[in-house]
Amino acid sequence: ETGVTQTPRHLVMGMTNKKSLKCEQHLGHNAMYWYKQSAKKPLELMFVYSLEERVENNSVPSRFSPECPNSSHLFLHLHTLQPEDSALYLCASSQDMGAPGTDTQYFGPGTRLTVL
Amino acid sequence: TQLLEQSPQFLSIQEGENLTVYCNSSSVFSSLQWYRQEPGEGPVLLVTVVTGGEVKKLKRLTFQFGDARKDSSLHITAAQTGDTGLYLCAGAGQAGTALIFGKGTTLSVSS
């Protein structure tokens, strides 16, 4: 247990569905992250929130919409996804962002998403 | 743009063998972290190295940070099947920016 939980662990959805991924951290951290991990590809940073404000958005398609209602929760809203969006979506948190010693990221177990 | 190159990309060895994986960059990092990820799970932090030339040991794993803080290595002695997984290095750059991850080394240890 890393202190970061993600639900659901597995999700199968059609291209016209709308679903949301949830992440919760119990570590009192200030920064939260969404990553996409596809087979044989490196971790792709999607979004970063620091103190509930979005600080990075790495050219992610608008069919992915993040939400950070408070410092403990992070959501990723999904709509009209494509089959190539099938991947493991990982949430992580860190005490702060970019400061040596406090930027260790703690990952959740991920949501395995399959888009049909 | 800061990049981290990991090598080899894949490594398949027998139990009891030693191995080294590398993480290299042309950029300087303030610290560097190593993670291990098992199938179906998220990466788990193994170690953070901060000082150039630093060596840290975690049981059979030895981590080294280069003198110039641009590269790192992970050496495993007498590998076990439980060492199987994806090994990721991640570098911390400027304050206020997210970690930079390498593509990882997939290690398979067979008995």
Side-chain angles (χ1 to χ4, degrees), chain A residues 45-89:
Chain A
L45 179 63
M46 300 175 72
F47 301 104
V48 182
Y49 278 82
S50 179
L51 298 172
E52 300 158 47
E53 287 193 19
R54 191 189 308 181
V55 295
E56 275 193 49
N57 175 1
N58 289 349
S59 302
V60 179
S62 59
R63 56 185 183 270
F64 295 92
S65 175
E67 178 189 2
C68 187
N70 55 62
S71 60
S72 299
H73 294 86
L74 187 64
F75 294 90
L76 187 62
H77 303 299
L78 317 170
H79 63 97
T80 58
L81 295 191
Q82 305 298 312
E84 60 264 30
D85 296 322
S86 298
L88 181 68
Y89 287 84

mmCIF file of all heavy atoms in Angstrom, chain A residues 45-89:
data_model
loop_
_atom_site.group_PDB
_atom_site.id
_atom_site.type_symbol
_atom_site.label_atom_id
_atom_site.label_comp_id
_atom_site.label_asym_id
_atom_site.label_seq_id
_atom_site.Cartn_x
_atom_site.Cartn_y
_atom_site.Cartn_z
ATOM 1 N N LEU A 45 3.387 11.678 -19.014
ATOM 2 C CA LEU A 45 2.742 12.583 -18.079
ATOM 3 C C LEU A 45 1.607 13.309 -18.787
ATOM 4 O O LEU A 45 1.799 13.908 -19.844
ATOM 5 C CB LEU A 45 3.763 13.597 -17.549
ATOM 6 C CG LEU A 45 3.249 14.637 -16.565
ATOM 7 C CD1 LEU A 45 2.736 13.991 -15.290
ATOM 8 C CD2 LEU A 45 4.335 15.655 -16.255
ATOM 9 N N MET A 46 0.416 13.241 -18.196
ATOM 10 C CA MET A 46 -0.754 13.880 -18.816
ATOM 11 C C MET A 46 -1.065 15.216 -18.138
ATOM 12 O O MET A 46 -1.164 16.245 -18.802
ATOM 13 C CB MET A 46 -1.959 12.954 -18.723
ATOM 14 C CG MET A 46 -1.791 11.614 -19.401
ATOM 15 S SD MET A 46 -3.208 10.542 -19.123
ATOM 16 C CE MET A 46 -4.456 11.313 -20.158
ATOM 17 N N PHE A 47 -1.270 15.173 -16.853
ATOM 18 C CA PHE A 47 -1.670 16.379 -16.115
ATOM 19 C C PHE A 47 -0.958 16.407 -14.766
ATOM 20 O O PHE A 47 -0.672 15.368 -14.182
ATOM 21 C CB PHE A 47 -3.182 16.391 -15.857
ATOM 22 C CG PHE A 47 -4.027 16.343 -17.094
ATOM 23 C CD1 PHE A 47 -4.666 15.169 -17.461
ATOM 24 C CD2 PHE A 47 -4.202 17.476 -17.882
ATOM 25 C CE1 PHE A 47 -5.447 15.106 -18.603
ATOM 26 C CE2 PHE A 47 -4.989 17.432 -19.022
ATOM 27 C CZ PHE A 47 -5.605 16.242 -19.387
ATOM 28 N N VAL A 48 -0.712 17.635 -14.315
ATOM 29 C CA VAL A 48 -0.148 17.835 -12.988
ATOM 30 C C VAL A 48 -0.958 18.901 -12.277
ATOM 31 O O VAL A 48 -1.252 19.950 -12.855
ATOM 32 C CB VAL A 48 1.323 18.307 -13.035
ATOM 33 C CG1 VAL A 48 1.885 18.450 -11.626
ATOM 34 C CG2 VAL A 48 2.174 17.361 -13.859
ATOM 35 N N TYR A 49 -1.292 18.616 -11.027
ATOM 36 C CA TYR A 49 -1.943 19.598 -10.186
ATOM 37 C C TYR A 49 -1.051 19.855 -8.979
ATOM 38 O O TYR A 49 -0.554 18.928 -8.355
ATOM 39 C CB TYR A 49 -3.313 19.102 -9.707
ATOM 40 C CG TYR A 49 -4.409 19.291 -10.713
ATOM 41 C CD1 TYR A 49 -4.597 18.378 -11.749
ATOM 42 C CD2 TYR A 49 -5.262 20.386 -10.631
ATOM 43 C CE1 TYR A 49 -5.601 18.553 -12.671
ATOM 44 C CE2 TYR A 49 -6.282 20.571 -11.554
ATOM 45 C CZ TYR A 49 -6.437 19.652 -12.580
ATOM 46 O OH TYR A 49 -7.439 19.833 -13.500
ATOM 47 N N SER A 50 -0.853 21.116 -8.686
ATOM 48 C CA SER A 50 -0.117 21.503 -7.492
ATOM 49 C C SER A 50 -0.998 22.449 -6.694
ATOM 50 O O SER A 50 -1.431 23.474 -7.216
ATOM 51 C CB SER A 50 1.204 22.183 -7.853
ATOM 52 O OG SER A 50 1.904 22.569 -6.699
ATOM 53 N N LEU A 51 -1.284 22.080 -5.460
ATOM 54 C CA LEU A 51 -2.188 22.878 -4.618
ATOM 55 C C LEU A 51 -3.494 23.142 -5.345
ATOM 56 O O LEU A 51 -4.003 24.263 -5.359
ATOM 57 C CB LEU A 51 -1.503 24.180 -4.199
ATOM 58 C CG LEU A 51 -0.241 23.986 -3.347
ATOM 59 C CD1 LEU A 51 0.490 25.303 -3.149
ATOM 60 C CD2 LEU A 51 -0.610 23.371 -1.997
ATOM 61 N N GLU A 52 -4.001 22.095 -5.966
ATOM 62 C CA GLU A 52 -5.306 22.082 -6.636
ATOM 63 C C GLU A 52 -5.365 22.920 -7.904
ATOM 64 O O GLU A 52 -6.434 23.055 -8.507
ATOM 65 C CB GLU A 52 -6.412 22.506 -5.662
ATOM 66 C CG GLU A 52 -6.518 21.592 -4.456
ATOM 67 C CD GLU A 52 -7.187 22.272 -3.270
ATOM 68 O OE1 GLU A 52 -8.237 22.894 -3.487
ATOM 69 O OE2 GLU A 52 -6.662 22.177 -2.148
ATOM 70 N N GLU A 53 -4.239 23.447 -8.341
ATOM 71 C CA GLU A 53 -4.216 24.171 -9.609
ATOM 72 C C GLU A 53 -3.466 23.374 -10.662
ATOM 73 O O GLU A 53 -2.407 22.813 -10.381
ATOM 74 C CB GLU A 53 -3.526 25.536 -9.432
ATOM 75 C CG GLU A 53 -4.346 26.545 -8.675
ATOM 76 C CD GLU A 53 -3.769 27.951 -8.792
ATOM 77 O OE1 GLU A 53 -2.978 28.201 -9.719
ATOM 78 O OE2 GLU A 53 -4.109 28.774 -7.943
ATOM 79 N N ARG A 54 -4.016 23.335 -11.868
ATOM 80 C CA ARG A 54 -3.356 22.615 -12.931
ATOM 81 C C ARG A 54 -2.111 23.372 -13.365
ATOM 82 O O ARG A 54 -2.196 24.559 -13.726
ATOM 83 C CB ARG A 54 -4.277 22.431 -14.138
ATOM 84 C CG ARG A 54 -3.713 21.462 -15.166
ATOM 85 C CD ARG A 54 -4.512 21.445 -16.459
ATOM 86 N NE ARG A 54 -5.927 21.231 -16.267
ATOM 87 C CZ ARG A 54 -6.792 21.162 -17.282
ATOM 88 N NH1 ARG A 54 -6.366 21.304 -18.524
ATOM 89 N NH2 ARG A 54 -8.076 20.984 -17.050
ATOM 90 N N VAL A 55 -0.959 22.721 -13.314
ATOM 91 C CA VAL A 55 0.275 23.403 -13.670
ATOM 92 C C VAL A 55 0.911 22.854 -14.933
ATOM 93 O O VAL A 55 1.806 23.470 -15.497
ATOM 94 C CB VAL A 55 1.292 23.355 -12.510
ATOM 95 C CG1 VAL A 55 0.771 24.132 -11.325
ATOM 96 C CG2 VAL A 55 1.607 21.926 -12.094
ATOM 97 N N GLU A 56 0.492 21.674 -15.360
ATOM 98 C CA GLU A 56 1.019 21.126 -16.610
ATOM 99 C C GLU A 56 -0.084 20.386 -17.332
ATOM 100 O O GLU A 56 -0.884 19.685 -16.715
ATOM 101 C CB GLU A 56 2.184 20.158 -16.352
ATOM 102 C CG GLU A 56 3.522 20.842 -16.226
ATOM 103 C CD GLU A 56 4.680 19.880 -16.284
ATOM 104 O OE1 GLU A 56 4.722 19.046 -17.181
ATOM 105 O OE2 GLU A 56 5.566 19.995 -15.408
ATOM 106 N N ASN A 57 -0.103 20.554 -18.641
ATOM 107 C CA ASN A 57 -1.056 19.833 -19.482
ATOM 108 C C ASN A 57 -0.306 19.534 -20.771
ATOM 109 O O ASN A 57 -0.125 20.411 -21.613
ATOM 110 C CB ASN A 57 -2.283 20.701 -19.740
ATOM 111 C CG ASN A 57 -3.250 20.050 -20.719
ATOM 112 O OD1 ASN A 57 -3.022 18.944 -21.192
ATOM 113 N ND2 ASN A 57 -4.331 20.724 -21.021
ATOM 114 N N ASN A 58 0.149 18.301 -20.894
ATOM 115 C CA ASN A 58 1.062 17.976 -21.977
ATOM 116 C C ASN A 58 0.350 17.579 -23.266
ATOM 117 O O ASN A 58 0.409 16.441 -23.684
ATOM 118 C CB ASN A 58 2.018 16.860 -21.519
ATOM 119 C CG ASN A 58 3.002 17.364 -20.508
ATOM 120 O OD1 ASN A 58 3.118 18.554 -20.296
ATOM 121 N ND2 ASN A 58 3.698 16.461 -19.854
ATOM 122 N N SER A 59 -0.316 18.516 -23.874
ATOM 123 C CA SER A 59 -0.940 18.282 -25.185
ATOM 124 C C SER A 59 -1.828 17.053 -25.178
ATOM 125 O O SER A 59 -1.742 16.213 -26.080
ATOM 126 C CB SER A 59 0.147 18.129 -26.270
ATOM 127 O OG SER A 59 0.958 19.264 -26.309
ATOM 128 N N VAL A 60 -2.634 16.951 -24.190
ATOM 129 C CA VAL A 60 -3.551 15.811 -24.075
ATOM 130 C C VAL A 60 -4.852 16.146 -24.797
ATOM 131 O O VAL A 60 -5.367 17.252 -24.656
ATOM 132 C CB VAL A 60 -3.827 15.511 -22.594
ATOM 133 C CG1 VAL A 60 -4.793 14.353 -22.452
ATOM 134 C CG2 VAL A 60 -2.527 15.219 -21.857
ATOM 135 N N PRO A 61 -5.400 15.191 -25.572
ATOM 136 C CA PRO A 61 -6.671 15.459 -26.269
ATOM 137 C C PRO A 61 -7.766 15.862 -25.304
ATOM 138 O O PRO A 61 -7.806 15.397 -24.150
ATOM 139 C CB PRO A 61 -6.976 14.118 -26.944
ATOM 140 C CG PRO A 61 -5.661 13.435 -27.069
ATOM 141 C CD PRO A 61 -4.863 13.863 -25.881
ATOM 142 N N SER A 62 -8.686 16.670 -25.786
ATOM 143 C CA SER A 62 -9.745 17.199 -24.928
ATOM 144 C C SER A 62 -10.731 16.129 -24.483
ATOM 145 O O SER A 62 -11.560 16.389 -23.602
ATOM 146 C CB SER A 62 -10.497 18.312 -25.654
ATOM 147 O OG SER A 62 -11.052 17.812 -26.857
ATOM 148 N N ARG A 63 -10.662 14.940 -25.054
ATOM 149 C CA ARG A 63 -11.548 13.867 -24.590
ATOM 150 C C ARG A 63 -11.134 13.368 -23.196
ATOM 151 O O ARG A 63 -11.839 12.584 -22.577
ATOM 152 C CB ARG A 63 -11.569 12.710 -25.587
ATOM 153 C CG ARG A 63 -10.221 12.105 -25.911
ATOM 154 C CD ARG A 63 -10.380 11.050 -27.012
ATOM 155 N NE ARG A 63 -9.147 10.376 -27.345
ATOM 156 C CZ ARG A 63 -8.310 10.794 -28.271
ATOM 157 N NH1 ARG A 63 -8.575 11.890 -28.972
ATOM 158 N NH2 ARG A 63 -7.193 10.112 -28.530
ATOM 159 N N PHE A 64 -9.984 13.835 -22.712
ATOM 160 C CA PHE A 64 -9.556 13.591 -21.330
ATOM 161 C C PHE A 64 -9.694 14.911 -20.574
ATOM 162 O O PHE A 64 -9.076 15.908 -20.957
ATOM 163 C CB PHE A 64 -8.104 13.134 -21.267
ATOM 164 C CG PHE A 64 -7.852 11.807 -21.915
ATOM 165 C CD1 PHE A 64 -7.482 11.733 -23.250
ATOM 166 C CD2 PHE A 64 -7.988 10.631 -21.193
ATOM 167 C CE1 PHE A 64 -7.252 10.499 -23.853
ATOM 168 C CE2 PHE A 64 -7.751 9.399 -21.792
ATOM 169 C CZ PHE A 64 -7.384 9.336 -23.122
ATOM 170 N N SER A 65 -10.439 14.897 -19.478
ATOM 171 C CA SER A 65 -10.676 16.119 -18.731
ATOM 172 C C SER A 65 -10.384 15.875 -17.248
ATOM 173 O O SER A 65 -11.095 15.103 -16.613
ATOM 174 C CB SER A 65 -12.125 16.563 -18.924
ATOM 175 O OG SER A 65 -12.418 17.671 -18.119
ATOM 176 N N PRO A 66 -9.358 16.500 -16.690
ATOM 177 C CA PRO A 66 -9.044 16.272 -15.287
ATOM 178 C C PRO A 66 -9.837 17.209 -14.379
ATOM 179 O O PRO A 66 -10.311 18.272 -14.799
ATOM 180 C CB PRO A 66 -7.553 16.615 -15.212
ATOM 181 C CG PRO A 66 -7.394 17.709 -16.216
ATOM 182 C CD PRO A 66 -8.375 17.406 -17.330
ATOM 183 N N GLU A 67 -9.961 16.765 -13.128
ATOM 184 C CA GLU A 67 -10.603 17.600 -12.120
ATOM 185 C C GLU A 67 -9.934 17.336 -10.789
ATOM 186 O O GLU A 67 -9.708 16.175 -10.429
ATOM 187 C CB GLU A 67 -12.104 17.269 -12.024
ATOM 188 C CG GLU A 67 -12.838 18.071 -10.962
ATOM 189 C CD GLU A 67 -14.256 17.576 -10.729
ATOM 190 O OE1 GLU A 67 -14.650 16.582 -11.364
ATOM 191 O OE2 GLU A 67 -14.957 18.177 -9.886
ATOM 192 N N CYS A 68 -9.628 18.389 -10.068
ATOM 193 C CA CYS A 68 -9.008 18.251 -8.747
ATOM 194 C C CYS A 68 -9.806 19.083 -7.753
ATOM 195 O O CYS A 68 -9.496 20.257 -7.522
ATOM 196 C CB CYS A 68 -7.551 18.708 -8.792
ATOM 197 S SG CYS A 68 -6.629 18.382 -7.272
ATOM 198 N N PRO A 69 -10.836 18.503 -7.146
ATOM 199 C CA PRO A 69 -11.704 19.276 -6.253
ATOM 200 C C PRO A 69 -11.050 19.662 -4.934
ATOM 201 O O PRO A 69 -11.450 20.651 -4.317
ATOM 202 C CB PRO A 69 -12.891 18.330 -6.030
ATOM 203 C CG PRO A 69 -12.336 16.963 -6.251
ATOM 204 C CD PRO A 69 -11.283 17.113 -7.306
ATOM 205 N N ASN A 70 -10.077 18.889 -4.493
ATOM 206 C CA ASN A 70 -9.329 19.207 -3.274
ATOM 207 C C ASN A 70 -7.981 18.497 -3.350
ATOM 208 O O ASN A 70 -7.734 17.713 -4.281
ATOM 209 C CB ASN A 70 -10.112 18.809 -2.014
ATOM 210 C CG ASN A 70 -10.514 17.349 -2.025
ATOM 211 O OD1 ASN A 70 -9.660 16.471 -2.044
ATOM 212 N ND2 ASN A 70 -11.819 17.095 -2.032
ATOM 213 N N SER A 71 -7.144 18.730 -2.383
ATOM 214 C CA SER A 71 -5.768 18.217 -2.477
ATOM 215 C C SER A 71 -5.675 16.709 -2.342
ATOM 216 O O SER A 71 -4.628 16.135 -2.613
ATOM 217 C CB SER A 71 -4.901 18.883 -1.408
ATOM 218 O OG SER A 71 -5.401 18.599 -0.128
ATOM 219 N N SER A 72 -6.753 16.050 -1.933
ATOM 220 C CA SER A 72 -6.703 14.599 -1.741
ATOM 221 C C SER A 72 -7.302 13.815 -2.894
ATOM 222 O O SER A 72 -7.106 12.604 -2.962
ATOM 223 C CB SER A 72 -7.450 14.209 -0.455
ATOM 224 O OG SER A 72 -6.855 14.803 0.671
ATOM 225 N N HIS A 73 -8.047 14.477 -3.746
ATOM 226 C CA HIS A 73 -8.773 13.769 -4.798
ATOM 227 C C HIS A 73 -8.445 14.306 -6.180
ATOM 228 O O HIS A 73 -8.292 15.509 -6.383
ATOM 229 C CB HIS A 73 -10.291 13.887 -4.566
ATOM 230 C CG HIS A 73 -10.767 13.190 -3.343
ATOM 231 N ND1 HIS A 73 -10.759 13.785 -2.094
ATOM 232 C CD2 HIS A 73 -11.248 11.925 -3.168
ATOM 233 C CE1 HIS A 73 -11.223 12.921 -1.204
ATOM 234 N NE2 HIS A 73 -11.523 11.802 -1.818
ATOM 235 N N LEU A 74 -8.376 13.369 -7.103
ATOM 236 C CA LEU A 74 -8.107 13.717 -8.503
ATOM 237 C C LEU A 74 -8.960 12.811 -9.375
ATOM 238 O O LEU A 74 -9.041 11.609 -9.124
ATOM 239 C CB LEU A 74 -6.629 13.509 -8.818
ATOM 240 C CG LEU A 74 -6.128 13.962 -10.179
ATOM 241 C CD1 LEU A 74 -6.254 15.481 -10.332
ATOM 242 C CD2 LEU A 74 -4.675 13.538 -10.380
ATOM 243 N N PHE A 75 -9.600 13.413 -10.362
ATOM 244 C CA PHE A 75 -10.433 12.650 -11.272
ATOM 245 C C PHE A 75 -9.925 12.819 -12.700
ATOM 246 O O PHE A 75 -9.302 13.832 -13.039
ATOM 247 C CB PHE A 75 -11.892 13.136 -11.210
ATOM 248 C CG PHE A 75 -12.569 12.876 -9.898
ATOM 249 C CD1 PHE A 75 -12.517 13.819 -8.877
ATOM 250 C CD2 PHE A 75 -13.268 11.693 -9.677
ATOM 251 C CE1 PHE A 75 -13.130 13.580 -7.650
ATOM 252 C CE2 PHE A 75 -13.900 11.456 -8.464
ATOM 253 C CZ PHE A 75 -13.820 12.393 -7.453
ATOM 254 N N LEU A 76 -10.221 11.827 -13.506
ATOM 255 C CA LEU A 76 -9.975 11.942 -14.947
ATOM 256 C C LEU A 76 -11.268 11.538 -15.635
ATOM 257 O O LEU A 76 -11.666 10.378 -15.604
ATOM 258 C CB LEU A 76 -8.820 11.043 -15.375
ATOM 259 C CG LEU A 76 -8.359 11.213 -16.834
ATOM 260 C CD1 LEU A 76 -7.839 12.637 -17.078
ATOM 261 C CD2 LEU A 76 -7.285 10.185 -17.186
ATOM 262 N N HIS A 77 -11.934 12.532 -16.229
ATOM 263 C CA HIS A 77 -13.205 12.285 -16.914
ATOM 264 C C HIS A 77 -12.913 11.919 -18.368
ATOM 265 O O HIS A 77 -12.114 12.586 -19.043
ATOM 266 C CB HIS A 77 -14.096 13.523 -16.837
ATOM 267 C CG HIS A 77 -14.361 13.976 -15.439
ATOM 268 N ND1 HIS A 77 -15.005 13.181 -14.510
ATOM 269 C CD2 HIS A 77 -14.055 15.141 -14.800
ATOM 270 C CE1 HIS A 77 -15.105 13.833 -13.366
ATOM 271 N NE2 HIS A 77 -14.525 15.016 -13.503
ATOM 272 N N LEU A 78 -13.581 10.876 -18.818
ATOM 273 C CA LEU A 78 -13.323 10.316 -20.146
ATOM 274 C C LEU A 78 -14.588 10.377 -20.991
ATOM 275 O O LEU A 78 -15.676 10.014 -20.499
ATOM 276 C CB LEU A 78 -12.881 8.856 -20.030
ATOM 277 C CG LEU A 78 -11.879 8.510 -18.922
ATOM 278 C CD1 LEU A 78 -11.738 7.000 -18.788
ATOM 279 C CD2 LEU A 78 -10.539 9.168 -19.213
ATOM 280 N N HIS A 79 -14.473 10.815 -22.227
ATOM 281 C CA HIS A 79 -15.637 10.781 -23.110
ATOM 282 C C HIS A 79 -15.195 10.666 -24.562
ATOM 283 O O HIS A 79 -14.184 11.236 -24.957
ATOM 284 C CB HIS A 79 -16.513 12.024 -22.897
ATOM 285 C CG HIS A 79 -15.829 13.321 -23.238
ATOM 286 N ND1 HIS A 79 -15.986 13.957 -24.451
ATOM 287 C CD2 HIS A 79 -14.996 14.082 -22.528
ATOM 288 C CE1 HIS A 79 -15.282 15.075 -24.444
ATOM 289 N NE2 HIS A 79 -14.677 15.181 -23.293
ATOM 290 N N THR A 80 -15.951 9.916 -25.312
ATOM 291 C CA THR A 80 -15.688 9.630 -26.731
ATOM 292 C C THR A 80 -14.239 9.231 -26.971
ATOM 293 O O THR A 80 -13.526 9.817 -27.797
ATOM 294 C CB THR A 80 -16.055 10.816 -27.643
ATOM 295 O OG1 THR A 80 -15.315 11.975 -27.247
ATOM 296 C CG2 THR A 80 -17.527 11.101 -27.574
ATOM 297 N N LEU A 81 -13.795 8.228 -26.196
ATOM 298 C CA LEU A 81 -12.413 7.760 -26.342
ATOM 299 C C LEU A 81 -12.249 6.912 -27.592
ATOM 300 O O LEU A 81 -13.232 6.447 -28.190
ATOM 301 C CB LEU A 81 -11.983 6.958 -25.117
ATOM 302 C CG LEU A 81 -11.895 7.726 -23.802
ATOM 303 C CD1 LEU A 81 -11.201 6.875 -22.746
ATOM 304 C CD2 LEU A 81 -11.184 9.051 -23.963
ATOM 305 N N GLN A 82 -10.993 6.706 -27.959
ATOM 306 C CA GLN A 82 -10.622 5.897 -29.110
ATOM 307 C C GLN A 82 -9.947 4.611 -28.625
ATOM 308 O O GLN A 82 -9.376 4.579 -27.529
ATOM 309 C CB GLN A 82 -9.660 6.679 -30.015
ATOM 310 C CG GLN A 82 -10.194 8.026 -30.463
ATOM 311 C CD GLN A 82 -11.451 7.882 -31.300
ATOM 312 O OE1 GLN A 82 -11.496 7.066 -32.226
ATOM 313 N NE2 GLN A 82 -12.473 8.659 -30.981
ATOM 314 N N PRO A 83 -9.950 3.561 -29.450
ATOM 315 C CA PRO A 83 -9.283 2.313 -29.033
ATOM 316 C C PRO A 83 -7.815 2.521 -28.653
ATOM 317 O O PRO A 83 -7.309 1.843 -27.751
ATOM 318 C CB PRO A 83 -9.434 1.419 -30.265
ATOM 319 C CG PRO A 83 -10.705 1.883 -30.905
ATOM 320 C CD PRO A 83 -10.710 3.383 -30.706
ATOM 321 N N GLU A 84 -7.136 3.465 -29.290
ATOM 322 C CA GLU A 84 -5.723 3.696 -28.965
ATOM 323 C C GLU A 84 -5.535 4.341 -27.595
ATOM 324 O O GLU A 84 -4.392 4.477 -27.117
ATOM 325 C CB GLU A 84 -5.041 4.557 -30.033
ATOM 326 C CG GLU A 84 -5.642 5.932 -30.221
ATOM 327 C CD GLU A 84 -6.640 5.970 -31.371
ATOM 328 O OE1 GLU A 84 -7.283 4.936 -31.648
ATOM 329 O OE2 GLU A 84 -6.785 7.057 -31.968
ATOM 330 N N ASP A 85 -6.636 4.718 -26.951
ATOM 331 C CA ASP A 85 -6.554 5.252 -25.587
ATOM 332 C C ASP A 85 -6.492 4.135 -24.549
ATOM 333 O O ASP A 85 -6.319 4.407 -23.359
ATOM 334 C CB ASP A 85 -7.751 6.159 -25.288
ATOM 335 C CG ASP A 85 -7.775 7.393 -26.177
ATOM 336 O OD1 ASP A 85 -6.687 7.945 -26.462
ATOM 337 O OD2 ASP A 85 -8.883 7.786 -26.594
ATOM 338 N N SER A 86 -6.649 2.912 -24.985
ATOM 339 C CA SER A 86 -6.543 1.773 -24.072
ATOM 340 C C SER A 86 -5.133 1.740 -23.489
ATOM 341 O O SER A 86 -4.146 1.765 -24.228
ATOM 342 C CB SER A 86 -6.825 0.462 -24.815
ATOM 343 O OG SER A 86 -8.143 0.449 -25.317
ATOM 344 N N ALA A 87 -5.047 1.704 -22.160
ATOM 345 C CA ALA A 87 -3.750 1.766 -21.493
ATOM 346 C C ALA A 87 -3.956 1.615 -19.997
ATOM 347 O O ALA A 87 -5.087 1.514 -19.515
ATOM 348 C CB ALA A 87 -3.051 3.108 -21.777
ATOM 349 N N LEU A 88 -2.848 1.620 -19.267
ATOM 350 C CA LEU A 88 -2.890 1.683 -17.808
ATOM 351 C C LEU A 88 -2.768 3.154 -17.426
ATOM 352 O O LEU A 88 -1.814 3.823 -17.825
ATOM 353 C CB LEU A 88 -1.741 0.881 -17.203
ATOM 354 C CG LEU A 88 -1.669 0.841 -15.675
ATOM 355 C CD1 LEU A 88 -2.850 0.051 -15.097
ATOM 356 C CD2 LEU A 88 -0.353 0.229 -15.208
ATOM 357 N N TYR A 89 -3.746 3.657 -16.689
ATOM 358 C CA TYR A 89 -3.720 5.050 -16.257
ATOM 359 C C TYR A 89 -3.320 5.077 -14.788
ATOM 360 O O TYR A 89 -3.992 4.509 -13.929
ATOM 361 C CB TYR A 89 -5.072 5.716 -16.496
ATOM 362 C CG TYR A 89 -5.288 5.965 -17.969
ATOM 363 C CD1 TYR A 89 -5.795 4.959 -18.784
ATOM 364 C CD2 TYR A 89 -4.923 7.178 -18.552
ATOM 365 C CE1 TYR A 89 -5.938 5.148 -20.153
ATOM 366 C CE2 TYR A 89 -5.062 7.383 -19.918
ATOM 367 C CZ TYR A 89 -5.559 6.365 -20.704
ATOM 368 O OH TYR A 89 -5.686 6.557 -22.064
#
